[in-house]
Each structure stands twice: as C-alpha cells, then as structure tokens.
mmCIF file of all heavy atoms in Angstrom:
data_model
loop_
_atom_site.group_PDB
_atom_site.id
_atom_site.type_symbol
_atom_site.label_atom_id
_atom_site.label_comp_id
_atom_site.label_asym_id
_atom_site.label_seq_id
_atom_site.Cartn_x
_atom_site.Cartn_y
_atom_site.Cartn_z
ATOM 1 N N TYR A 1 -116.276 -2.072 214.059
ATOM 2 C CA TYR A 1 -115.129 -2.800 214.602
ATOM 3 C C TYR A 1 -114.040 -1.831 215.042
ATOM 4 O O TYR A 1 -113.431 -2.002 216.105
ATOM 5 C CB TYR A 1 -114.586 -3.764 213.543
ATOM 6 C CG TYR A 1 -113.470 -4.652 214.035
ATOM 7 C CD1 TYR A 1 -113.682 -5.542 215.075
ATOM 8 C CD2 TYR A 1 -112.207 -4.601 213.457
ATOM 9 C CE1 TYR A 1 -112.660 -6.367 215.533
ATOM 10 C CE2 TYR A 1 -111.183 -5.422 213.903
ATOM 11 C CZ TYR A 1 -111.421 -6.302 214.938
ATOM 12 O OH TYR A 1 -110.405 -7.103 215.397
ATOM 13 N N ALA A 2 -113.801 -0.790 214.239
ATOM 14 C CA ALA A 2 -112.756 0.182 214.569
ATOM 15 C C ALA A 2 -113.193 1.149 215.658
ATOM 16 O O ALA A 2 -112.336 1.776 216.301
ATOM 17 C CB ALA A 2 -112.356 0.956 213.314
ATOM 18 N N LEU A 3 -114.490 1.298 215.898
ATOM 19 C CA LEU A 3 -114.952 2.243 216.906
ATOM 20 C C LEU A 3 -114.379 1.938 218.283
ATOM 21 O O LEU A 3 -114.043 2.854 219.042
ATOM 22 C CB LEU A 3 -116.475 2.226 216.986
ATOM 23 C CG LEU A 3 -117.243 3.302 216.227
ATOM 24 C CD1 LEU A 3 -118.722 3.184 216.531
ATOM 25 C CD2 LEU A 3 -116.748 4.695 216.556
ATOM 26 N N MET A 4 -114.271 0.656 218.617
ATOM 27 C CA MET A 4 -113.849 0.312 219.974
ATOM 28 C C MET A 4 -112.446 0.827 220.287
ATOM 29 O O MET A 4 -112.252 1.511 221.305
ATOM 30 C CB MET A 4 -113.951 -1.192 220.193
ATOM 31 C CG MET A 4 -113.653 -1.619 221.618
ATOM 32 S SD MET A 4 -114.089 -3.353 221.846
ATOM 33 C CE MET A 4 -113.342 -3.682 223.437
ATOM 34 N N PRO A 5 -111.418 0.542 219.475
ATOM 35 C CA PRO A 5 -110.107 1.117 219.801
ATOM 36 C C PRO A 5 -110.086 2.634 219.702
ATOM 37 O O PRO A 5 -109.389 3.303 220.474
ATOM 38 C CB PRO A 5 -109.174 0.471 218.775
ATOM 39 C CG PRO A 5 -110.056 0.067 217.637
ATOM 40 C CD PRO A 5 -111.346 -0.328 218.298
ATOM 41 N N PHE A 6 -110.847 3.194 218.768
ATOM 42 C CA PHE A 6 -110.886 4.652 218.662
ATOM 43 C C PHE A 6 -111.428 5.277 219.949
ATOM 44 O O PHE A 6 -110.821 6.192 220.517
ATOM 45 C CB PHE A 6 -111.742 5.087 217.472
ATOM 46 C CG PHE A 6 -110.987 5.211 216.175
ATOM 47 C CD1 PHE A 6 -111.295 4.402 215.091
ATOM 48 C CD2 PHE A 6 -109.971 6.144 216.030
ATOM 49 C CE1 PHE A 6 -110.603 4.523 213.892
ATOM 50 C CE2 PHE A 6 -109.275 6.271 214.835
ATOM 51 C CZ PHE A 6 -109.588 5.453 213.767
ATOM 52 N N VAL A 7 -112.576 4.790 220.429
ATOM 53 C CA VAL A 7 -113.188 5.461 221.580
ATOM 54 C C VAL A 7 -112.477 5.108 222.877
ATOM 55 O O VAL A 7 -112.382 5.949 223.783
ATOM 56 C CB VAL A 7 -114.705 5.163 221.674
ATOM 57 C CG1 VAL A 7 -115.438 5.694 220.460
ATOM 58 C CG2 VAL A 7 -114.992 3.689 221.891
ATOM 59 N N LEU A 8 -111.956 3.881 223.002
ATOM 60 C CA LEU A 8 -111.261 3.521 224.240
ATOM 61 C C LEU A 8 -109.945 4.272 224.385
ATOM 62 O O LEU A 8 -109.611 4.760 225.475
ATOM 63 C CB LEU A 8 -111.030 2.011 224.293
ATOM 64 C CG LEU A 8 -112.266 1.149 224.541
ATOM 65 C CD1 LEU A 8 -111.906 -0.334 224.510
ATOM 66 C CD2 LEU A 8 -112.919 1.495 225.877
ATOM 67 N N PHE A 9 -109.176 4.362 223.296
ATOM 68 C CA PHE A 9 -107.936 5.114 223.379
ATOM 69 C C PHE A 9 -108.240 6.601 223.578
ATOM 70 O O PHE A 9 -107.571 7.286 224.364
ATOM 71 C CB PHE A 9 -107.088 4.885 222.130
ATOM 72 C CG PHE A 9 -105.711 5.497 222.192
ATOM 73 C CD1 PHE A 9 -105.066 5.720 223.401
ATOM 74 C CD2 PHE A 9 -105.041 5.833 221.022
ATOM 75 C CE1 PHE A 9 -103.793 6.278 223.449
ATOM 76 C CE2 PHE A 9 -103.769 6.394 221.056
ATOM 77 C CZ PHE A 9 -103.148 6.626 222.276
ATOM 78 N N ALA A 10 -109.267 7.097 222.894
ATOM 79 C CA ALA A 10 -109.634 8.501 223.076
ATOM 80 C C ALA A 10 -110.039 8.768 224.521
ATOM 81 O O ALA A 10 -109.689 9.817 225.093
ATOM 82 C CB ALA A 10 -110.765 8.873 222.123
ATOM 83 N N GLN A 11 -110.763 7.840 225.116
ATOM 84 C CA GLN A 11 -111.144 8.010 226.516
ATOM 85 C C GLN A 11 -109.906 8.041 227.419
ATOM 86 O O GLN A 11 -109.828 8.851 228.357
ATOM 87 C CB GLN A 11 -112.085 6.885 226.943
ATOM 88 C CG GLN A 11 -112.623 7.039 228.361
ATOM 89 C CD GLN A 11 -113.483 5.873 228.773
ATOM 90 O OE1 GLN A 11 -113.112 4.711 228.590
ATOM 91 N NE2 GLN A 11 -114.656 6.157 229.314
ATOM 92 N N ALA A 12 -108.933 7.173 227.127
ATOM 93 C CA ALA A 12 -107.695 7.180 227.906
ATOM 94 C C ALA A 12 -106.947 8.503 227.737
ATOM 95 O O ALA A 12 -106.393 9.050 228.702
ATOM 96 C CB ALA A 12 -106.808 6.006 227.491
ATOM 97 N N ILE A 13 -106.931 9.023 226.509
ATOM 98 C CA ILE A 13 -106.291 10.318 226.266
ATOM 99 C C ILE A 13 -107.010 11.408 227.052
ATOM 100 O O ILE A 13 -106.379 12.261 227.694
ATOM 101 C CB ILE A 13 -106.308 10.645 224.755
ATOM 102 C CG1 ILE A 13 -105.479 9.626 223.966
ATOM 103 C CG2 ILE A 13 -105.786 12.056 224.502
ATOM 104 C CD1 ILE A 13 -105.691 9.697 222.463
ATOM 105 N N GLU A 14 -108.338 11.391 227.018
ATOM 106 C CA GLU A 14 -109.119 12.411 227.715
ATOM 107 C C GLU A 14 -108.865 12.380 229.222
ATOM 108 O O GLU A 14 -108.769 13.433 229.872
ATOM 109 C CB GLU A 14 -110.609 12.203 227.422
ATOM 110 C CG GLU A 14 -111.532 13.255 227.992
ATOM 111 C CD GLU A 14 -111.445 14.582 227.258
ATOM 112 O OE1 GLU A 14 -110.865 14.641 226.161
ATOM 113 O OE2 GLU A 14 -111.965 15.579 227.805
ATOM 114 N N LYS A 15 -108.734 11.191 229.789
ATOM 115 C CA LYS A 15 -108.522 11.070 231.229
ATOM 116 C C LYS A 15 -107.106 11.480 231.626
ATOM 117 O O LYS A 15 -106.900 12.076 232.690
ATOM 118 C CB LYS A 15 -108.793 9.634 231.678
ATOM 119 C CG LYS A 15 -110.261 9.252 231.667
ATOM 120 C CD LYS A 15 -110.469 7.820 232.123
ATOM 121 C CE LYS A 15 -111.952 7.472 232.168
ATOM 122 N NZ LYS A 15 -112.179 6.061 232.588
ATOM 123 N N ASN A 16 -106.127 11.149 230.798
ATOM 124 C CA ASN A 16 -104.735 11.414 231.144
ATOM 125 C C ASN A 16 -104.229 12.763 230.654
ATOM 126 O O ASN A 16 -103.380 13.380 231.299
ATOM 127 C CB ASN A 16 -103.847 10.303 230.580
ATOM 128 C CG ASN A 16 -103.995 8.990 231.313
ATOM 129 O OD1 ASN A 16 -103.366 8.762 232.338
ATOM 130 N ND2 ASN A 16 -104.859 8.115 230.789
ATOM 131 N N GLU A 17 -104.721 13.214 229.503
ATOM 132 C CA GLU A 17 -104.277 14.479 228.930
ATOM 133 C C GLU A 17 -105.479 15.236 228.371
ATOM 134 O O GLU A 17 -105.611 15.406 227.155
ATOM 135 C CB GLU A 17 -103.241 14.244 227.830
ATOM 136 C CG GLU A 17 -101.966 13.546 228.299
ATOM 137 C CD GLU A 17 -100.968 13.374 227.163
ATOM 138 O OE1 GLU A 17 -100.138 14.279 226.964
ATOM 139 O OE2 GLU A 17 -101.040 12.335 226.467
ATOM 140 N N PRO A 18 -106.369 15.688 229.248
ATOM 141 C CA PRO A 18 -107.585 16.355 228.761
ATOM 142 C C PRO A 18 -107.293 17.598 227.934
ATOM 143 O O PRO A 18 -108.130 18.012 227.121
ATOM 144 C CB PRO A 18 -108.329 16.702 230.055
ATOM 145 C CG PRO A 18 -107.284 16.675 231.131
ATOM 146 C CD PRO A 18 -106.303 15.639 230.718
ATOM 147 N N GLU A 19 -106.088 18.171 228.126
ATOM 148 C CA GLU A 19 -105.759 19.377 227.365
ATOM 149 C C GLU A 19 -105.665 19.118 225.868
ATOM 150 O O GLU A 19 -105.718 20.056 225.051
ATOM 151 C CB GLU A 19 -104.435 19.969 227.868
ATOM 152 C CG GLU A 19 -103.209 19.105 227.646
ATOM 153 C CD GLU A 19 -102.979 18.064 228.735
ATOM 154 O OE1 GLU A 19 -103.903 17.854 229.571
ATOM 155 O OE2 GLU A 19 -101.892 17.449 228.754
ATOM 156 N N ARG A 20 -105.529 17.854 225.472
ATOM 157 C CA ARG A 20 -105.496 17.549 224.033
ATOM 158 C C ARG A 20 -106.862 17.737 223.379
ATOM 159 O O ARG A 20 -106.963 17.871 222.164
ATOM 160 C CB ARG A 20 -105.014 16.114 223.805
ATOM 161 C CG ARG A 20 -103.536 15.884 224.094
ATOM 162 C CD ARG A 20 -103.129 14.494 223.639
ATOM 163 N NE ARG A 20 -101.761 14.138 223.984
ATOM 164 C CZ ARG A 20 -100.707 14.344 223.197
ATOM 165 N NH1 ARG A 20 -100.869 14.920 222.010
ATOM 166 N NH2 ARG A 20 -99.496 13.986 223.583
ATOM 167 N N GLY A 21 -107.940 17.682 224.164
ATOM 168 C CA GLY A 21 -109.285 17.855 223.604
ATOM 169 C C GLY A 21 -109.599 16.853 222.515
ATOM 170 O O GLY A 21 -110.150 17.216 221.462
ATOM 171 N N ILE A 22 -109.312 15.574 222.768
ATOM 172 C CA ILE A 22 -109.392 14.570 221.704
ATOM 173 C C ILE A 22 -110.808 14.406 221.154
ATOM 174 O O ILE A 22 -110.994 14.185 219.958
ATOM 175 C CB ILE A 22 -108.835 13.213 222.184
ATOM 176 C CG1 ILE A 22 -108.691 12.238 221.021
ATOM 177 C CG2 ILE A 22 -109.691 12.633 223.306
ATOM 178 C CD1 ILE A 22 -107.668 12.645 220.001
ATOM 179 N N PHE A 23 -111.832 14.553 222.003
ATOM 180 C CA PHE A 23 -113.201 14.375 221.510
ATOM 181 C C PHE A 23 -113.711 15.610 220.757
ATOM 182 O O PHE A 23 -114.791 15.574 220.171
ATOM 183 C CB PHE A 23 -114.143 14.004 222.653
ATOM 184 C CG PHE A 23 -114.019 12.563 223.068
ATOM 185 C CD1 PHE A 23 -113.376 12.220 224.246
ATOM 186 C CD2 PHE A 23 -114.519 11.552 222.267
ATOM 187 C CE1 PHE A 23 -113.250 10.894 224.628
ATOM 188 C CE2 PHE A 23 -114.404 10.216 222.636
ATOM 189 C CZ PHE A 23 -113.762 9.885 223.828
ATOM 190 N N LYS A 24 -112.922 16.687 220.758
ATOM 191 C CA LYS A 24 -113.246 17.854 219.939
ATOM 192 C C LYS A 24 -112.430 17.875 218.654
ATOM 193 O O LYS A 24 -112.625 18.763 217.815
ATOM 194 C CB LYS A 24 -112.989 19.133 220.738
ATOM 195 C CG LYS A 24 -113.891 19.279 221.957
ATOM 196 C CD LYS A 24 -113.577 20.553 222.729
ATOM 197 C CE LYS A 24 -114.466 20.674 223.959
ATOM 198 N NZ LYS A 24 -114.134 21.888 224.744
ATOM 199 N N TYR A 25 -111.526 16.925 218.513
ATOM 200 C CA TYR A 25 -110.633 16.891 217.356
ATOM 201 C C TYR A 25 -111.453 16.760 216.067
ATOM 202 O O TYR A 25 -112.400 15.992 215.989
ATOM 203 C CB TYR A 25 -109.675 15.707 217.495
ATOM 204 C CG TYR A 25 -108.575 15.655 216.465
ATOM 205 C CD1 TYR A 25 -107.452 16.467 216.578
ATOM 206 C CD2 TYR A 25 -108.662 14.795 215.372
ATOM 207 C CE1 TYR A 25 -106.431 16.428 215.636
ATOM 208 C CE2 TYR A 25 -107.643 14.742 214.419
ATOM 209 C CZ TYR A 25 -106.537 15.563 214.560
ATOM 210 O OH TYR A 25 -105.533 15.512 213.619
ATOM 211 N N ARG A 26 -111.087 17.540 215.063
ATOM 212 C CA ARG A 26 -111.786 17.566 213.768
ATOM 213 C C ARG A 26 -113.292 17.788 213.956
ATOM 214 O O ARG A 26 -114.125 17.076 213.405
ATOM 215 C CB ARG A 26 -111.561 16.284 212.963
ATOM 216 C CG ARG A 26 -110.219 16.174 212.280
ATOM 217 C CD ARG A 26 -110.241 15.047 211.255
ATOM 218 N NE ARG A 26 -111.097 15.374 210.125
ATOM 219 C CZ ARG A 26 -111.624 14.456 209.299
ATOM 220 N NH1 ARG A 26 -111.388 13.179 209.487
ATOM 221 N NH2 ARG A 26 -112.383 14.836 208.289
ATOM 222 N N ASP A 27 -113.612 18.786 214.753
ATOM 223 C CA ASP A 27 -115.019 19.146 214.953
ATOM 224 C C ASP A 27 -115.812 17.984 215.547
ATOM 225 O O ASP A 27 -116.972 17.759 215.198
ATOM 226 C CB ASP A 27 -115.640 19.617 213.638
ATOM 227 C CG ASP A 27 -116.975 20.323 213.834
ATOM 228 O OD1 ASP A 27 -117.163 20.938 214.891
ATOM 229 O OD2 ASP A 27 -117.822 20.239 212.928
ATOM 230 N N GLY A 28 -115.167 17.253 216.453
ATOM 231 C CA GLY A 28 -115.859 16.160 217.135
ATOM 232 C C GLY A 28 -116.135 14.963 216.262
ATOM 233 O O GLY A 28 -117.186 14.326 216.373
ATOM 234 N N VAL A 29 -115.168 14.600 215.407
ATOM 235 C CA VAL A 29 -115.428 13.555 214.418
ATOM 236 C C VAL A 29 -115.695 12.198 215.060
ATOM 237 O O VAL A 29 -116.465 11.391 214.509
ATOM 238 C CB VAL A 29 -114.262 13.469 213.400
ATOM 239 C CG1 VAL A 29 -113.012 12.868 214.033
ATOM 240 C CG2 VAL A 29 -114.681 12.698 212.154
ATOM 241 N N LEU A 30 -115.111 11.921 216.240
ATOM 242 C CA LEU A 30 -115.356 10.611 216.862
ATOM 243 C C LEU A 30 -116.808 10.470 217.305
ATOM 244 O O LEU A 30 -117.421 9.411 217.121
ATOM 245 C CB LEU A 30 -114.420 10.399 218.041
ATOM 246 C CG LEU A 30 -113.103 9.690 217.746
ATOM 247 C CD1 LEU A 30 -112.270 9.539 219.005
ATOM 248 C CD2 LEU A 30 -113.349 8.317 217.117
ATOM 249 N N LEU A 31 -117.365 11.502 217.892
ATOM 250 C CA LEU A 31 -118.774 11.436 218.274
ATOM 251 C C LEU A 31 -119.668 11.377 217.041
ATOM 252 O O LEU A 31 -120.676 10.652 217.029
ATOM 253 C CB LEU A 31 -119.139 12.630 219.146
ATOM 254 C CG LEU A 31 -118.570 12.593 220.573
ATOM 255 C CD1 LEU A 31 -118.878 13.885 221.304
ATOM 256 C CD2 LEU A 31 -119.112 11.395 221.337
ATOM 257 N N LYS A 32 -119.304 12.113 216.000
ATOM 258 C CA LYS A 32 -120.059 12.003 214.755
ATOM 259 C C LYS A 32 -120.025 10.574 214.233
ATOM 260 O O LYS A 32 -121.019 10.074 213.681
ATOM 261 C CB LYS A 32 -119.484 12.951 213.706
ATOM 262 C CG LYS A 32 -119.742 14.429 213.972
ATOM 263 C CD LYS A 32 -119.147 15.276 212.846
ATOM 264 C CE LYS A 32 -119.383 16.757 213.060
ATOM 265 N NZ LYS A 32 -118.789 17.573 211.977
#
C-alpha cells in the first residue's frame, strides 16, 4: 500500500531534481 506513494513521489523527484539521486538513496532502498 505504501509503495505507490513512495515510488510515485520518488519518480517525480527524479524527473524534477535528478541531482537528488532519490532511487540511490540508502543504497537503493526503494528498489530493494
């Protein structure tokens, strides 16, 4: 249930501010 807001907001961050490296945060914890 929580995955959807996590990945959608992360995708928005990646598109708007890729320099944040959100999908690499905490050793890629979202993809894990």
Side-chain angles (χ1 to χ4, degrees):
Y1 185 61
L3 262 185
M4 185 170 169
F6 271 117
V7 297
L8 288 178
F9 187 26
Q11 185 183 48
I13 296 167
E14 185 73 13
K15 288 180 177 179
N16 288 276
E17 299 181 90
E19 65 275 12
R20 289 188 185 269
I22 190 66
F23 283 106
K24 296 179 181 178
Y25 188 78
R26 283 194 69 201
D27 194 30
V29 72
L30 268 180
L31 288 174
K32 289 181 180 179

